[in-house]
PDB file of all heavy atoms in Angstrom:
ATOM      1  N   MET A   1      77.400 110.906 187.285  1.00 98.00           N
ATOM      2  CA  MET A   1      76.259 111.769 187.604  1.00 98.00           C
ATOM      3  C   MET A   1      76.763 112.953 188.416  1.00 98.00           C
ATOM      4  O   MET A   1      77.268 112.782 189.521  1.00 98.00           O
ATOM      5  CB  MET A   1      75.213 110.986 188.387  1.00 98.00           C
ATOM      6  CG  MET A   1      74.751 109.719 187.691  1.00 98.00           C
ATOM      7  SD  MET A   1      73.394 108.882 188.554  1.00 98.00           S
ATOM      8  CE  MET A   1      74.214 108.414 190.065  1.00 98.00           C
ATOM      9  N   ASN A   2      76.630 114.142 187.844  1.00 98.00           N
ATOM     10  CA  ASN A   2      77.044 115.381 188.510  1.00 98.00           C
ATOM     11  C   ASN A   2      75.833 116.273 188.764  1.00 98.00           C
ATOM     12  O   ASN A   2      74.768 116.064 188.181  1.00 98.00           O
ATOM     13  CB  ASN A   2      78.055 116.123 187.639  1.00 98.00           C
ATOM     14  CG  ASN A   2      79.322 115.332 187.389  1.00 98.00           C
ATOM     15  OD1 ASN A   2      79.752 114.540 188.230  1.00 98.00           O
ATOM     16  ND2 ASN A   2      79.931 115.532 186.232  1.00 98.00           N
ATOM     17  N   SER A   3      76.018 117.240 189.621  1.00 98.00           N
ATOM     18  CA  SER A   3      74.948 118.204 189.937  1.00 98.00           C
ATOM     19  C   SER A   3      73.640 117.491 190.255  1.00 98.00           C
ATOM     20  O   SER A   3      72.571 117.834 189.742  1.00 98.00           O
ATOM     21  CB  SER A   3      74.746 119.179 188.766  1.00 98.00           C
ATOM     22  OG  SER A   3      75.943 119.860 188.463  1.00 98.00           O
ATOM     23  N   LEU A   4      73.735 116.504 191.124  1.00 98.00           N
ATOM     24  CA  LEU A   4      72.566 115.674 191.424  1.00 98.00           C
ATOM     25  C   LEU A   4      71.484 116.477 192.125  1.00 98.00           C
ATOM     26  O   LEU A   4      71.762 117.382 192.921  1.00 98.00           O
ATOM     27  CB  LEU A   4      72.987 114.480 192.269  1.00 98.00           C
ATOM     28  CG  LEU A   4      73.660 113.355 191.454  1.00 98.00           C
ATOM     29  CD1 LEU A   4      74.469 112.441 192.360  1.00 98.00           C
ATOM     30  CD2 LEU A   4      72.618 112.563 190.685  1.00 98.00           C
ATOM     31  N   LYS A   5      70.242 116.108 191.802  1.00 97.00           N
ATOM     32  CA  LYS A   5      69.061 116.757 192.362  1.00 97.00           C
ATOM     33  C   LYS A   5      68.222 115.725 193.112  1.00 97.00           C
ATOM     34  O   LYS A   5      68.340 114.523 192.853  1.00 97.00           O
ATOM     35  CB  LYS A   5      68.225 117.370 191.237  1.00 97.00           C
ATOM     36  CG  LYS A   5      68.972 118.310 190.317  1.00 97.00           C
ATOM     37  CD  LYS A   5      68.081 118.755 189.167  1.00 97.00           C
ATOM     38  CE  LYS A   5      68.812 119.679 188.206  1.00 97.00           C
ATOM     39  NZ  LYS A   5      67.940 120.108 187.088  1.00 97.00           N
ATOM     40  N   ALA A   6      67.347 116.211 193.961  1.00 97.00           N
ATOM     41  CA  ALA A   6      66.482 115.303 194.709  1.00 97.00           C
ATOM     42  C   ALA A   6      65.665 114.417 193.765  1.00 97.00           C
ATOM     43  O   ALA A   6      65.421 113.246 194.052  1.00 97.00           O
ATOM     44  CB  ALA A   6      65.565 116.103 195.621  1.00 97.00           C
ATOM     45  N   GLU A   7      65.277 114.975 192.638  1.00 97.00           N
ATOM     46  CA  GLU A   7      64.456 114.204 191.685  1.00 97.00           C
ATOM     47  C   GLU A   7      65.228 113.123 190.944  1.00 97.00           C
ATOM     48  O   GLU A   7      64.651 112.352 190.195  1.00 97.00           O
ATOM     49  CB  GLU A   7      63.771 115.136 190.683  1.00 97.00           C
ATOM     50  CG  GLU A   7      64.690 116.137 190.005  1.00 97.00           C
ATOM     51  CD  GLU A   7      64.670 117.488 190.700  1.00 97.00           C
ATOM     52  OE1 GLU A   7      64.685 117.538 191.957  1.00 97.00           O
ATOM     53  OE2 GLU A   7      64.648 118.505 189.976  1.00 97.00           O
ATOM     54  N   ASP A   8      66.534 113.065 191.146  1.00 98.00           N
ATOM     55  CA  ASP A   8      67.323 111.963 190.592  1.00 98.00           C
ATOM     56  C   ASP A   8      67.274 110.731 191.488  1.00 98.00           C
ATOM     57  O   ASP A   8      67.791 109.667 191.104  1.00 98.00           O
ATOM     58  CB  ASP A   8      68.780 112.390 190.422  1.00 98.00           C
ATOM     59  CG  ASP A   8      68.959 113.496 189.389  1.00 98.00           C
ATOM     60  OD1 ASP A   8      68.315 113.427 188.332  1.00 98.00           O
ATOM     61  OD2 ASP A   8      69.748 114.427 189.666  1.00 98.00           O
ATOM     62  N   THR A   9      66.675 110.846 192.650  1.00 98.00           N
ATOM     63  CA  THR A   9      66.556 109.713 193.563  1.00 98.00           C
ATOM     64  C   THR A   9      65.756 108.588 192.917  1.00 98.00           C
ATOM     65  O   THR A   9      64.632 108.794 192.459  1.00 98.00           O
ATOM     66  CB  THR A   9      65.878 110.150 194.868  1.00 98.00           C
ATOM     67  OG1 THR A   9      66.720 111.083 195.536  1.00 98.00           O
ATOM     68  CG2 THR A   9      65.620 108.949 195.775  1.00 98.00           C
ATOM     69  N   ALA A  10      66.354 107.405 192.850  1.00 98.00           N
ATOM     70  CA  ALA A  10      65.724 106.266 192.190  1.00 98.00           C
ATOM     71  C   ALA A  10      66.630 105.051 192.333  1.00 98.00           C
ATOM     72  O   ALA A  10      67.785 105.175 192.761  1.00 98.00           O
ATOM     73  CB  ALA A  10      65.501 106.562 190.706  1.00 98.00           C
ATOM     74  N   VAL A  11      66.103 103.910 191.941  1.00 98.00           N
ATOM     75  CA  VAL A  11      66.944 102.743 191.730  1.00 98.00           C
ATOM     76  C   VAL A  11      67.399 102.785 190.275  1.00 98.00           C
ATOM     77  O   VAL A  11      66.576 102.932 189.363  1.00 98.00           O
ATOM     78  CB  VAL A  11      66.190 101.427 192.017  1.00 98.00           C
ATOM     79  CG1 VAL A  11      67.095 100.236 191.743  1.00 98.00           C
ATOM     80  CG2 VAL A  11      65.694 101.413 193.459  1.00 98.00           C
ATOM     81  N   TYR A  12      68.701 102.679 190.091  1.00 98.00           N
ATOM     82  CA  TYR A  12      69.287 102.745 188.763  1.00 98.00           C
ATOM     83  C   TYR A  12      69.636 101.338 188.284  1.00 98.00           C
ATOM     84  O   TYR A  12      70.285 100.571 189.008  1.00 98.00           O
ATOM     85  CB  TYR A  12      70.524 103.638 188.773  1.00 98.00           C
ATOM     86  CG  TYR A  12      70.169 105.102 188.808  1.00 98.00           C
ATOM     87  CD1 TYR A  12      69.628 105.683 189.958  1.00 98.00           C
ATOM     88  CD2 TYR A  12      70.343 105.918 187.696  1.00 98.00           C
ATOM     89  CE1 TYR A  12      69.277 107.025 189.998  1.00 98.00           C
ATOM     90  CE2 TYR A  12      69.997 107.261 187.715  1.00 98.00           C
ATOM     91  CZ  TYR A  12      69.465 107.806 188.867  1.00 98.00           C
ATOM     92  OH  TYR A  12      69.113 109.143 188.897  1.00 98.00           O
ATOM     93  N   TYR A  13      69.219 101.033 187.055  1.00 98.00           N
ATOM     94  CA  TYR A  13      69.427  99.710 186.479  1.00 98.00           C
ATOM     95  C   TYR A  13      70.268  99.787 185.215  1.00 98.00           C
ATOM     96  O   TYR A  13      70.084 100.676 184.374  1.00 98.00           O
ATOM     97  CB  TYR A  13      68.085  99.081 186.103  1.00 98.00           C
ATOM     98  CG  TYR A  13      67.161  98.834 187.260  1.00 98.00           C
ATOM     99  CD1 TYR A  13      66.231  99.789 187.658  1.00 98.00           C
ATOM    100  CD2 TYR A  13      67.196  97.625 187.955  1.00 98.00           C
ATOM    101  CE1 TYR A  13      65.372  99.561 188.707  1.00 98.00           C
ATOM    102  CE2 TYR A  13      66.334  97.388 189.016  1.00 98.00           C
ATOM    103  CZ  TYR A  13      65.430  98.362 189.385  1.00 98.00           C
ATOM    104  OH  TYR A  13      64.577  98.131 190.433  1.00 98.00           O
ATOM    105  N   CYS A  14      71.134  98.826 185.078  1.00 97.00           N
ATOM    106  CA  CYS A  14      71.920  98.650 183.871  1.00 97.00           C
ATOM    107  C   CYS A  14      71.155  97.722 182.924  1.00 97.00           C
ATOM    108  O   CYS A  14      70.524  96.754 183.369  1.00 97.00           O
ATOM    109  CB  CYS A  14      73.267  98.031 184.263  1.00 97.00           C
ATOM    110  SG  CYS A  14      74.357  97.628 182.921  1.00 97.00           S
ATOM    111  N   ASN A  15      71.216  98.011 181.645  1.00 97.00           N
ATOM    112  CA  ASN A  15      70.520  97.199 180.647  1.00 97.00           C
ATOM    113  C   ASN A  15      71.450  96.874 179.497  1.00 97.00           C
ATOM    114  O   ASN A  15      72.159  97.751 178.994  1.00 97.00           O
ATOM    115  CB  ASN A  15      69.298  97.956 180.127  1.00 97.00           C
ATOM    116  CG  ASN A  15      68.625  97.257 178.966  1.00 97.00           C
ATOM    117  OD1 ASN A  15      68.834  97.603 177.815  1.00 97.00           O
ATOM    118  ND2 ASN A  15      67.807  96.272 179.280  1.00 97.00           N
ATOM    119  N   ALA A  16      71.442  95.619 179.089  1.00 96.00           N
ATOM    120  CA  ALA A  16      72.219  95.186 177.930  1.00 96.00           C
ATOM    121  C   ALA A  16      71.256  94.933 176.778  1.00 96.00           C
ATOM    122  O   ALA A  16      70.297  94.176 176.914  1.00 96.00           O
ATOM    123  CB  ALA A  16      72.989  93.915 178.256  1.00 96.00           C
ATOM    124  N   ARG A  17      71.527  95.572 175.635  1.00 92.00           N
ATOM    125  CA  ARG A  17      70.681  95.388 174.457  1.00 92.00           C
ATOM    126  C   ARG A  17      71.122  94.132 173.706  1.00 92.00           C
ATOM    127  O   ARG A  17      71.479  94.166 172.536  1.00 92.00           O
ATOM    128  CB  ARG A  17      70.787  96.626 173.566  1.00 92.00           C
ATOM    129  CG  ARG A  17      70.460  97.937 174.272  1.00 92.00           C
ATOM    130  CD  ARG A  17      68.984  98.105 174.451  1.00 92.00           C
ATOM    131  NE  ARG A  17      68.627  99.321 175.196  1.00 92.00           N
ATOM    132  CZ  ARG A  17      68.322 100.477 174.632  1.00 92.00           C
ATOM    133  NH1 ARG A  17      68.356 100.616 173.317  1.00 92.00           N
ATOM    134  NH2 ARG A  17      67.991 101.520 175.369  1.00 92.00           N
ATOM    135  N   TYR A  18      71.115  93.035 174.421  1.00 90.00           N
ATOM    136  CA  TYR A  18      71.547  91.740 173.912  1.00 90.00           C
ATOM    137  C   TYR A  18      70.339  90.821 173.879  1.00 90.00           C
ATOM    138  O   TYR A  18      69.661  90.637 174.885  1.00 90.00           O
ATOM    139  CB  TYR A  18      72.635  91.184 174.826  1.00 90.00           C
ATOM    140  CG  TYR A  18      73.025  89.742 174.565  1.00 90.00           C
ATOM    141  CD1 TYR A  18      73.631  89.377 173.380  1.00 90.00           C
ATOM    142  CD2 TYR A  18      72.798  88.760 175.533  1.00 90.00           C
ATOM    143  CE1 TYR A  18      74.000  88.059 173.149  1.00 90.00           C
ATOM    144  CE2 TYR A  18      73.167  87.462 175.318  1.00 90.00           C
ATOM    145  CZ  TYR A  18      73.779  87.101 174.113  1.00 90.00           C
ATOM    146  OH  TYR A  18      74.155  85.800 173.884  1.00 90.00           O
ATOM    147  N   ARG A  19      70.052  90.263 172.675  1.00 92.00           N
ATOM    148  CA  ARG A  19      68.879  89.410 172.497  1.00 92.00           C
ATOM    149  C   ARG A  19      67.654  90.159 173.014  1.00 92.00           C
ATOM    150  O   ARG A  19      67.364  91.253 172.562  1.00 92.00           O
ATOM    151  CB  ARG A  19      69.098  88.071 173.177  1.00 92.00           C
ATOM    152  CG  ARG A  19      70.205  87.260 172.501  1.00 92.00           C
ATOM    153  CD  ARG A  19      70.323  85.866 173.057  1.00 92.00           C
ATOM    154  NE  ARG A  19      71.336  85.108 172.321  1.00 92.00           N
ATOM    155  CZ  ARG A  19      71.695  83.866 172.624  1.00 92.00           C
ATOM    156  NH1 ARG A  19      71.128  83.233 173.619  1.00 92.00           N
ATOM    157  NH2 ARG A  19      72.629  83.258 171.919  1.00 92.00           N
ATOM    158  N   GLY A  20      66.910  89.579 173.923  1.00 86.00           N
ATOM    159  CA  GLY A  20      65.699  90.228 174.405  1.00 86.00           C
ATOM    160  C   GLY A  20      65.932  91.300 175.443  1.00 86.00           C
ATOM    161  O   GLY A  20      64.988  91.975 175.869  1.00 86.00           O
ATOM    162  N   GLY A  21      67.193  91.483 175.830  1.00 90.00           N
ATOM    163  CA  GLY A  21      67.498  92.490 176.832  1.00 90.00           C
ATOM    164  C   GLY A  21      67.696  91.871 178.203  1.00 90.00           C
ATOM    165  O   GLY A  21      66.937  90.981 178.604  1.00 90.00           O
ATOM    166  N   TYR A  22      68.711  92.322 178.889  1.00 95.00           N
ATOM    167  CA  TYR A  22      69.010  91.838 180.229  1.00 95.00           C
ATOM    168  C   TYR A  22      69.146  93.022 181.175  1.00 95.00           C
ATOM    169  O   TYR A  22      69.565  94.104 180.764  1.00 95.00           O
ATOM    170  CB  TYR A  22      70.304  91.008 180.235  1.00 95.00           C
ATOM    171  CG  TYR A  22      70.148  89.652 179.608  1.00 95.00           C
ATOM    172  CD1 TYR A  22      70.276  89.491 178.231  1.00 95.00           C
ATOM    173  CD2 TYR A  22      69.859  88.530 180.382  1.00 95.00           C
ATOM    174  CE1 TYR A  22      70.120  88.245 177.641  1.00 95.00           C
ATOM    175  CE2 TYR A  22      69.708  87.283 179.798  1.00 95.00           C
ATOM    176  CZ  TYR A  22      69.839  87.147 178.425  1.00 95.00           C
ATOM    177  OH  TYR A  22      69.683  85.913 177.851  1.00 95.00           O
ATOM    178  N   TRP A  23      68.826  92.748 182.463  1.00 96.00           N
ATOM    179  CA  TRP A  23      68.856  93.787 183.483  1.00 96.00           C
ATOM    180  C   TRP A  23      69.735  93.386 184.639  1.00 96.00           C
ATOM    181  O   TRP A  23      69.810  92.195 184.984  1.00 96.00           O
ATOM    182  CB  TRP A  23      67.443  94.040 184.011  1.00 96.00           C
ATOM    183  CG  TRP A  23      66.496  94.558 182.985  1.00 96.00           C
ATOM    184  CD1 TRP A  23      65.666  93.832 182.192  1.00 96.00           C
ATOM    185  CD2 TRP A  23      66.280  95.928 182.641  1.00 96.00           C
ATOM    186  NE1 TRP A  23      64.954  94.662 181.369  1.00 96.00           N
ATOM    187  CE2 TRP A  23      65.306  95.949 181.627  1.00 96.00           C
ATOM    188  CE3 TRP A  23      66.814  97.129 183.090  1.00 96.00           C
ATOM    189  CZ2 TRP A  23      64.848  97.139 181.055  1.00 96.00           C
ATOM    190  CZ3 TRP A  23      66.362  98.318 182.515  1.00 96.00           C
ATOM    191  CH2 TRP A  23      65.392  98.311 181.520  1.00 96.00           C
ATOM    192  N   GLY A  24      70.352  94.374 185.259  1.00 96.00           N
ATOM    193  CA  GLY A  24      71.016  94.148 186.515  1.00 96.00           C
ATOM    194  C   GLY A  24      70.030  94.207 187.658  1.00 96.00           C
ATOM    195  O   GLY A  24      68.819  94.404 187.454  1.00 96.00           O
ATOM    196  N   GLN A  25      70.548  94.061 188.881  1.00 96.00           N
ATOM    197  CA  GLN A  25      69.674  94.017 190.052  1.00 96.00           C
ATOM    198  C   GLN A  25      69.316  95.400 190.549  1.00 96.00           C
ATOM    199  O   GLN A  25      68.384  95.551 191.353  1.00 96.00           O
ATOM    200  CB  GLN A  25      70.358  93.216 191.167  1.00 96.00           C
ATOM    201  CG  GLN A  25      71.368  93.996 192.010  1.00 96.00           C
ATOM    202  CD  GLN A  25      72.681  94.270 191.293  1.00 96.00           C
ATOM    203  OE1 GLN A  25      72.921  93.789 190.174  1.00 96.00           O
ATOM    204  NE2 GLN A  25      73.556  95.034 191.931  1.00 96.00           N
ATOM    205  N   GLY A  26      70.029  96.414 190.073  1.00 97.00           N
ATOM    206  CA  GLY A  26      69.748  97.787 190.459  1.00 97.00           C
ATOM    207  C   GLY A  26      70.603  98.254 191.620  1.00 97.00           C
ATOM    208  O   GLY A  26      71.037  97.456 192.455  1.00 97.00           O
ATOM    209  N   THR A  27      70.830  99.562 191.650  1.00 97.00           N
ATOM    210  CA  THR A  27      71.555 100.180 192.757  1.00 97.00           C
ATOM    211  C   THR A  27      70.822 101.465 193.147  1.00 97.00           C
ATOM    212  O   THR A  27      70.420 102.249 192.284  1.00 97.00           O
ATOM    213  CB  THR A  27      73.026 100.454 192.365  1.00 97.00           C
ATOM    214  OG1 THR A  27      73.742 100.943 193.504  1.00 97.00           O
ATOM    215  CG2 THR A  27      73.160 101.450 191.223  1.00 97.00           C
ATOM    216  N   GLN A  28      70.645 101.647 194.441  1.00 98.00           N
ATOM    217  CA  GLN A  28      69.868 102.779 194.942  1.00 98.00           C
ATOM    218  C   GLN A  28      70.714 104.052 194.946  1.00 98.00           C
ATOM    219  O   GLN A  28      71.835 104.053 195.457  1.00 98.00           O
ATOM    220  CB  GLN A  28      69.375 102.497 196.354  1.00 98.00           C
ATOM    221  CG  GLN A  28      68.625 103.651 197.011  1.00 98.00           C
ATOM    222  CD  GLN A  28      67.268 103.896 196.387  1.00 98.00           C
ATOM    223  OE1 GLN A  28      66.497 102.965 196.175  1.00 98.00           O
ATOM    224  NE2 GLN A  28      66.962 105.158 196.099  1.00 98.00           N
ATOM    225  N   VAL A  29      70.140 105.111 194.407  1.00 98.00           N
ATOM    226  CA  VAL A  29      70.739 106.447 194.493  1.00 98.00           C
ATOM    227  C   VAL A  29      69.750 107.341 195.220  1.00 98.00           C
ATOM    228  O   VAL A  29      68.603 107.467 194.800  1.00 98.00           O
ATOM    229  CB  VAL A  29      71.045 107.013 193.095  1.00 98.00           C
ATOM    230  CG1 VAL A  29      71.469 108.478 193.190  1.00 98.00           C
ATOM    231  CG2 VAL A  29      72.130 106.194 192.413  1.00 98.00           C
TER     232      VAL A  29
END
């Protein structure tokens, strides 16, 4: 992530398109 803006502030989650889909716990940016 480059040239970050205030509106990019969020919890970011990883998702695997495996079976029904899996999620990570998230990381705050």
